[in-house]
Structure formats: C-alpha cells, structure tokens
Amino acid sequence: MFPVKSEVFINVSSLPKGDSEFKGFIFFTTRCQMSDDMELNINHGVPSLRVDFVPCPPPAIPGLIERLPFHHLNENNRYVCSIYAVFKWLEQRICSLSLDNVTQNLLSRNELPFNVNQEFEYCGDMINIRLENDPSQLYGRKLRLSSLERFWGTQPSPYMSVERDSNGTITGYKGYLFEIIHAIQPLYNYTYQVDFPSKGKYGKELANGSWDGMIGMILDQRADIGVGAFSIIHSRYQVVDFTVGFYQESSSILIPSPIENHQLLACTKPFRLEVWLSLILFVIILPGILWRHFEFNHRCGEKCPQLAKQYFFVLGVLVGQSGQKLSSVGFSPRFLGAVWCLATVVFASAYVGILMSFLRFPKLSPVITKLEQLPASHLKWAVLRGTALDHLFTEATTGVYKTIGEELIKNHRGTLIDVHDDFIKRVIHENYAYIGPKSNLEYALHEDYIQSGICRLSIIKQDFFKVNVAFALPKGSPLKPLLDKKILQMMEAGLGIYWKKMYWPPSKGKCDTFRPLDVGPKSLQLIDLQGTFLILFIGYALAIASFLAERTC
C-alpha cells in the first residue's frame, strides 16, 4: 500500500461557482479490477484521471480516461511527482474553463498538446538524476554554471550578457545561451549560480597537461555545466562531454574594405578577350578579301587598289580616323566596306561607353576572397586566444592552417589577441585580417557601419571550419541525457531561430555587397588614364627608335 497524502489534492472550494465550477474525478487504487469497475461506472463526459500504483493491463476502450502509471517510480520520487503531475492536470482542466472558444480552438491545434503522462515522465527523469558531487536529488537544487562575458565591439555578445544595476551588482543573465537555461528551469525548479574563469577563456590545454578557462573549472569539479558557445573539437572532447549542438557556427575573415581595381590596363577592359581576338582577326583578313575581290572580279590591272591601302582603310575606319577612300570599282566591295563602317560604329560606341563606366564607376574587389590567399597577401592576421580557431591553427600539421598557425606562434605576421573590440581598429587602419566566428564578424561589421556611416570593413565570401556549438559537461555527467532531450525539443520547435532573431543584428546589412565608399560618378584622375599615357609612351619610344634607325641607314 502507498499512503496517499492530503497534499496531493487541491481545495476547489475557492473556484468560481456556477457554470465555471470544475467537476471531475481523480481516483487512486492498488487493484486493477477496482479501477476497471470505476471506469465503467463514472460519467465519461467529466474529466477523469486514474492513478495506478500497480501494473495494469491497457484499457478495453483507450482514451476515455487519462492514466498515470505511478508504479514506474521508486519510493523516493513518487510523492514529488504525484503532486507535480496531478497539479499540472488540474491546472490544465481548470484554466481551460476560463478560455474563450477561439483560444480553445488554437490550443487544440497545438502541435505539442498537454499530456499528463509526458509531464509525469519528465518529472521522473529529473528526479532520478544525481549530481556526482551531491547525492541529493537535483529537483530544487542549485547548479554551478561556468560562463564567460564577452563583448562584440561595444555591445555584449549575443550568446551571453550580464545584467547589472546602477551599483554594478549582477542582477541576472541573458542571451541565447541563458534562454536555454531559463526555458528548462521552471519545469525542474532548480536554481543556479554563475562563476567566471579567472583568465576569461573558454579553455586551452597548457604545457603541463592541465586546462585553463571554463574547461579547467569543469575538470576541477568547480562547475556542473560550461554555459558557453563551445565549438566541439577533438582536443576538448577528449577531456569533457558536450550536449547536442544547438547552433552551427562557421568561421570567416574580417578584412579592410574592398580596394579599387588597378587602372593600368583599363583601356582593354571594355571588351573580353574573345571580342578583341575577333576584331584582330577581322582587321587581318578583311583587307585581303577586299584586295583579292578587286583583282579577280573586276580585272582592273594596275588601277586596282593596293593591299596596303586596304589595310589603311580598314584600320582607319575602326579607329575613326580614316583618310583612305574605298575604290569605286565594283558594287560588291563598296557594299562590303559599308557594312564594315556600320559595324565599327557599333564597336566604337560600345567601347567608349563601357570604358567611361569603368573609369567613372570603378569596380571594387576584396583584398582576398578565401583563406588560402591570406599568406600570400600583404595582410597580417589575428585570432582570439583560447578559442577553437586558436586550437585549429596552432595545432595544425599541414596546409594553409599550419602556415597561419606558425605565424601565430612566432608572433610575426600572426597575433593571438585577448580582446575582440580593440583589434577591429587595427583591421581598419593597419591592414590586418581578423579570423573569427562569422556571426561575431557580422556583428562587428554592422556596428562599425552604424558608428561611421560607411563600409570600412568587409567579410570574405568563403566560409570554413563549420562546427556545432554546445554546452560543456564533465565526462559521464548524468545531466547530459536530460539536456540533450530538452535542447533537441526546443530546437525542433523553432526556439533557436526565434532567439537568434532576438539577439543577433539583421543578417542582411548595408555592407553585405562590395561597393564604393562614396556614391555616384567620380572625376577622372591621372591614375585613371595611365593606360592611355602608357600607349603614348610606347608609341613615341618606337617612333624615336625608328627615327634613329633611319638616320643610321
């Protein structure tokens, strides 16, 4: 026999009288036959809850009465879960009386309707969990959390931020990570305290084999959960466990704003290579066609135009400086010459128009477009110390990762930094590249545009090193199954997307595409026409060489 304590029942005398008065049955029994007889005789139009303290066969007509199988639980948690489950059942039934029809219809279409057995199961899961350093039940206990306050620019990180009063006293915590903690908290009625690592790091393995930062706190049994945006990487996984991932983060590179393309060969840019080759082919072939046409078809003998004159005619028409006339002998060559004149008008107009657009509206290109180009560029680079990217580069043994990591260790072109926001200024003014999580870089890009009003920064288009973000736990922590289950349920319900919209800046910003810092056409400078002056210089040099050769002969 299990003694049913009076606290299980609720005093309904204070409920509103009349139509809103709650009517229903809750019956406990230790004999299946007695419960089956009661099910057959009660009014099935009234809400009823049956509590079984012994295993019973399934009902003959499923769904008429809700059941709670208390016999699954041990004596330590029956009482707590009986109160919790029965009160949740009463709460749902009583509150539904005061709802209007529209709200009731909306709740009835909910993808996750209330289920008293599900609530009962969650309670049992939580009660059965034990902390390794505390043999008492977790329900109602205090968890020790390790977390890290960081700033992205002047704003706190969207992952976690600290709320303080006017005296600087901590009053609470918020952000994407603590939305998860707070969402689970009401169900299991736990409290928590938050401690910060002494050196403000996620954690890195030291030379003596120990770890610092939040991972070090977990290994030293000073924290039950590492509430941080931990990237799940191999070196960390060897010493701690992780929950399921609740966010996928990729890495990218923050670089100075795009630079204007070099204008030395601007005169060749209006046409692609295949267009230039086609024009050259026409200039070579067309004079020969005209010359042969005169010789074979019109029998003009010595009066036929020379081949050299045909070249002067074709070239002169093309550059708009023709001083040669086409022979009046025959209609077909004159017609062919007229077609060439018409085509060159189109070519010349297109060339001039596109050339001016290139010069007055210059195209901007990023300094680099992918990670592999970084070592060969003029940029230096920086990585935040103690992060997954620090591990990635400094522990790499091959490829571009090793090249970047060696410079970080030597502190030559690469630098390991401790503060994110100070380095943004160096990206703008000192030709540095900052390698970090893409959401972090997008935040910095957005904030700098808000402050300056122009796009002084950009992010390369290539993403690399995609990792899942999760909480860190001690190895073999009994909290892992419960946290995994609840986090998966929240992510499947779309809460992760909702929380990201709450804390991250808009994903599409003003500086997402490369564009000039000042809007509108610009006046042409000497550097814009350097290709033209180069042609003049080469031409005059060849003319002088020809002159000297003639004088020598």
Side-chain angles (χ1 to χ4, degrees):
M1 295 292 292
F2 174 76
V4 178
K5 301 188 179 183
S6 59
E7 291 87 346
V8 173
F9 297 100
I10 186 170
N11 183 3
V12 297
S13 60
S14 60
L15 295 175
K17 303 299 181 181
D19 294 338
S20 62
E21 183 176 354
F22 174 73
K23 297 178 181 179
F25 293 98
I26 302 177
F27 55 95
F28 299 76
T29 185
T30 57
R31 290 193 294 176
C32 300
Q33 185 61 47
M34 182 184 297
S35 296
D36 294 341
D37 292 341
M38 291 181 67
E39 284 190 16
L40 295 176
N41 291 286
I42 64 173
N43 182 1
H44 292 140
V46 177
S48 302
L49 179 65
R50 169 177 165 172
V51 182
D52 290 337
F53 289 100
V54 293
C56 293
I61 305 177
L64 290 181
I65 294 180
E66 296 180 81
R67 288 192 180 191
L68 283 179
F70 273 27
H71 57 86
H72 287 313
L73 302 182
N74 56 45
E75 293 182 0
N76 293 328
N77 51 35
R78 279 180 184 169
Y79 175 59
V80 174
C81 288
S82 65
I83 293 176
Y84 175 75
V86 172
F87 269 69
K88 289 293 289 186
W89 184 83
L90 286 170
E91 178 186 272
Q92 292 290 325
R93 298 301 176 268
I94 295 172
C95 291
S96 63
L97 297 176
S98 61
L99 300 178
D100 57 79
N101 292 332
V102 175
T103 305
Q104 289 187 24
N105 289 334
L106 288 174
L107 291 176
S108 66
R109 294 197 299 269
N110 191 348
E111 293 181 359
L112 298 172
F114 170 77
N115 185 301
V116 69
N117 273 285
Q118 191 175 51
E119 298 291 338
F120 182 63
E121 179 186 346
Y122 291 162
C123 176
D125 288 345
M126 194 65 180
I127 292 297
N128 287 327
I129 290 178
R130 300 287 191 275
L131 289 178
E132 291 180 345
N133 62 335
D134 187 354
S136 62
Q137 296 174 351
L138 179 60
Y139 191 87
R141 304 300 298 177
K142 178 181 285 188
L143 290 176
R144 300 169 304 162
L145 308 182
S146 173
S147 194
L148 185 61
E149 183 182 21
R150 274 189 169 157
F151 286 84
W152 291 5
T154 60
Q155 299 298 318
S157 164
Y159 283 116
M160 182 272 188
S161 60
V162 179
E163 296 178 306
R164 295 179 171 88
D165 59 18
S166 57
N167 298 322
T169 304
I170 295 177
T171 58
Y173 305 90
K174 63 180 183 178
Y176 188 102
L177 303 179
F178 275 88
E179 290 289 348
I180 298 175
I181 298 296
H182 294 156
I184 305 174
Q185 189 177 13
L187 181 60
Y188 300 110
N189 194 32
Y190 60 80
T191 58
Y192 62 83
Q193 68 179 39
V194 179
D195 295 319
F196 300 99
S198 58
K199 295 184 179 180
K201 299 178 182 178
Y202 279 89
K204 185 177 181 180
E205 187 175 8
L206 305 178
N208 60 6
S210 63
W211 287 70
D212 59 7
M214 286 193 284
I215 291 184
M217 294 180 67
I218 294 173
L219 295 177
D220 294 340
Q221 297 184 356
R222 291 183 288 129
D224 302 310
I225 306 176
V227 182
F230 283 96
S231 301
I232 303 176
I233 57 177
H234 176 68
S235 58
R236 291 174 177 172
Y237 193 74
Q238 289 180 316
V239 294
V240 296
D241 279 342
F242 292 97
T243 64
V244 293
F246 47 77
Y247 186 80
Q248 188 178 68
E249 183 72 271
S250 58
S251 300
S252 192
I253 307 177
L254 188 70
I255 56 176
S257 58
I259 60 174
E260 187 175 324
N261 284 352
H262 203 273
Q263 299 289 6
L264 180 61
L265 300 177
C267 57
T268 65
K269 292 180 180 179
F271 294 153
R272 295 177 67 102
L273 178 61
E274 58 268 23
V275 178
W276 285 117
L277 292 177
S278 300
L279 278 176
I280 293 172
L281 185 63
F282 269 102
V283 169
I284 294 175
I285 295 177
L286 185 59
I289 294 175
L290 290 173
W291 178 62
R292 301 296 289 179
H293 202 283
F294 281 120
E295 268 201 357
F296 286 96
N297 291 348
H298 298 284
R299 312 278 182 189
C300 49
E302 295 181 357
K303 295 182 179 181
C304 286
Q306 298 178 355
L307 178 61
K309 290 184 177 181
Q310 308 306 315
Y311 274 104
F312 281 123
F313 169 75
V314 170
L315 288 172
V317 170
L318 182 63
V319 299
Q321 300 293 329
S322 177
Q324 298 292 326
K325 293 183 179 180
L326 192 63
S327 175
S328 60
V329 178
F331 172 77
S332 58
R334 283 181 291 161
F335 179 76
L336 188 58
V339 171
W340 173 247
C341 291
L342 180 62
T344 54
V345 170
V346 177
F347 282 127
S349 300
Y351 178 82
V352 172
I354 297 174
L355 179 61
M356 290 306 298
S357 68
F358 268 111
L359 295 177
R360 299 199 70 193
F361 298 90
K363 182 181 179 182
L364 300 181
S365 297
V367 181
I368 58 173
T369 58
K370 54 186 179 180
L371 180 70
E372 288 74 12
Q373 296 174 349
L374 183 58
S377 71
H378 66 278
L379 296 174
K380 300 178 182 179
W381 54 84
V383 176
L384 200 60
R385 192 187 309 273
T387 60
L389 287 170
D390 179 1
H391 289 261
L392 174 70
F393 293 121
T394 57
E395 297 176 4
T397 56
T398 58
V400 67
Y401 289 173
K402 179 183 177 182
T403 303
I404 294 174
E406 287 176 345
E407 296 296 328
L408 290 172
I409 296 172
K410 296 175 184 176
N411 198 25
H412 288 171
R413 289 185 64 189
T415 305
L416 286 170
I417 59 174
D418 296 302
V419 182
H420 157 84
D421 52 327
D422 289 344
F423 198 80
I424 301 302
K425 298 175 183 178
R426 300 180 70 177
V427 176
I428 298 172
H429 302 294
E430 300 180 26
N431 285 326
Y432 265 86
Y434 179 35
I435 309 173
K438 189 171 184 180
S439 57
N440 190 329
L441 306 184
E442 289 174 343
Y443 204 99
L445 188 73
H446 175 78
E447 186 179 50
D448 182 70
Y449 178 80
I450 296 299
Q451 293 178 354
S452 65
I454 57 176
C455 296
R456 302 187 298 179
L457 300 169
S458 60
I459 301 174
I460 67 170
K461 296 300 181 182
Q462 180 203 43
D463 293 343
F464 62 94
F465 189 52
K466 292 184 178 180
V467 293
N468 288 321
V469 174
F471 292 150
L473 301 166
K475 278 289 185 182
S477 171
L479 289 175
K480 177 174 168 55
L482 176 66
L483 289 175
D484 286 350
K485 181 177 182 179
K486 300 304 294 183
I487 289 172
L488 284 173
Q489 288 175 340
M490 287 186 282
M491 296 304 110
E492 290 171 0
L495 288 176
I497 298 174
Y498 172 71
W499 291 330
K500 183 177 180 183
K501 290 181 179 179
M502 285 177 57
Y503 294 104
W504 266 263
S507 58
K508 294 297 181 181
K510 296 287 185 180
C511 303
D512 285 340
T513 55
F514 300 130
R515 58 179 188 151
L517 299 183
D518 51 345
V519 180
K522 69 169 189 174
S523 300
L524 298 182
Q525 305 175 27
L526 183 62
I527 193 171
D528 298 320
L529 299 174
Q530 57 184 307
T532 305
F533 286 100
L534 178 63
I535 294 174
L536 287 174
F537 175 78
I538 294 174
Y540 281 126
L542 292 175
I544 292 173
S546 176
F547 171 75
L548 294 176
E550 291 176 355
R551 289 290 302 271
T552 303
C553 295

